[in-house]
Amino acid sequence: MEMIYTTWEWIRASGITAYLLLFISNLAGMMVKGKIASKKGQPILLSIHQTAGWLALLLSLFHAFMLLFDRYVTYSLVELFIPFTATYQPLASSAGTLAFYIIVILFFSSDVMKKIGRKWWRSIHFLALPAYFLALIHGVLIGTDSGAMWMILFYSMTFMMVVSVFFVRLVTARP
């Protein structure tokens, strides 16, 4: 039996998966720099951090691309890539767009880290957490599954984990 997925299912799946990967990337990134991971575990966490981040970026782009083909809520390229221009839930849509741009900036800054210096790269990299929170806000406000108990639990648990690891990271920060 052949399964055919609708545009809406691809949009949902890619958005939720992109959020999950961004969550994993943020968590792993904070664990690498904190005293949360062992010396042996740090290279593994760094690899998870980078891979999950790249996949989150790619799936976010796919998520936006699929919105161009949705027949229920239509988006134009302008609405997708210029914040606050969407006619459908402009604030929630913009949170996703801004999260995407921050992720792009993070990856670009990592590629040019030697040119801009570690201090600037590190300052830019602190935007990873706001990108995560913007993606969370985007999903909660505009996601079609946001009212489902499984999604409420998913968002709540990932949020609590990020906040917890962030505070552990603050407490264990190396001078």
Side-chain angles (χ1 to χ4, degrees):
M1 178 180 208
E2 184 178 327
M3 294 186 77
I4 300 191
Y5 295 100
T6 64
T7 304
W8 176 68
E9 290 167 322
W10 284 107
I11 293 165
R12 288 173 54 228
S14 60
I16 292 168
T17 306
Y19 167 80
L20 175 62
L21 289 164
L22 187 58
F23 156 74
I24 291 168
S25 181
N26 269 274
L27 209 63
M30 287 187 287
M31 290 174 72
V32 166
K33 293 310 280 179
K35 295 180 181 177
I36 301 167
S38 68
K39 290 281 186 193
K40 285 185 179 181
Q42 286 183 352
I44 295 167
L45 281 172
L46 181 61
S47 179
I48 290 169
H49 167 66
Q50 292 171 336
T51 303
W54 268 112
L55 291 172
L57 174 67
L58 293 174
L59 274 171
S60 297
L61 190 58
F62 179 75
H63 173 71
F65 177 73
M66 289 305 295
L67 286 166
L68 292 172
F69 301 100
D70 189 31
R71 293 183 182 173
Y72 183 72
V73 177
T74 57
Y75 284 89
S76 67
L77 280 172
V78 169
E79 289 176 307
L80 287 176
F81 292 103
I82 299 178
F84 309 106
T85 60
T87 54
Y88 180 72
Q89 296 200 23
L91 293 177
S93 295
S94 297
T97 303
L98 293 171
F100 174 76
Y101 283 140
I102 292 172
I103 296 167
V104 169
I105 290 167
L106 291 171
F107 279 101
F108 178 73
S109 71
S110 293
D111 287 343
V112 296
M113 181 173 47
K114 289 182 181 176
K115 291 180 182 176
I116 64 173
R118 191 161 185 81
K119 184 179 177 183
W120 273 103
W121 171 83
R122 189 163 188 240
S123 296
I124 293 167
H125 225 69
F126 282 122
L127 293 173
L129 207 52
Y132 164 78
F133 288 122
L134 284 167
L136 174 63
I137 290 166
H138 171 75
V140 167
L141 294 180
I142 204 169
T144 55
D145 294 308
S146 292
M149 184 53 69
W150 68 271
M151 202 68 208
I152 292 167
L153 288 171
F154 176 67
Y155 283 140
S156 299
M157 291 174 65
T158 54
F159 173 76
M160 288 187 294
M161 289 173 70
V162 165
V163 170
S164 298
V165 172
F166 175 74
F167 281 113
V168 169
R169 169 76 178 100
L170 281 179
V171 171
T172 62
R174 297 178 189 130

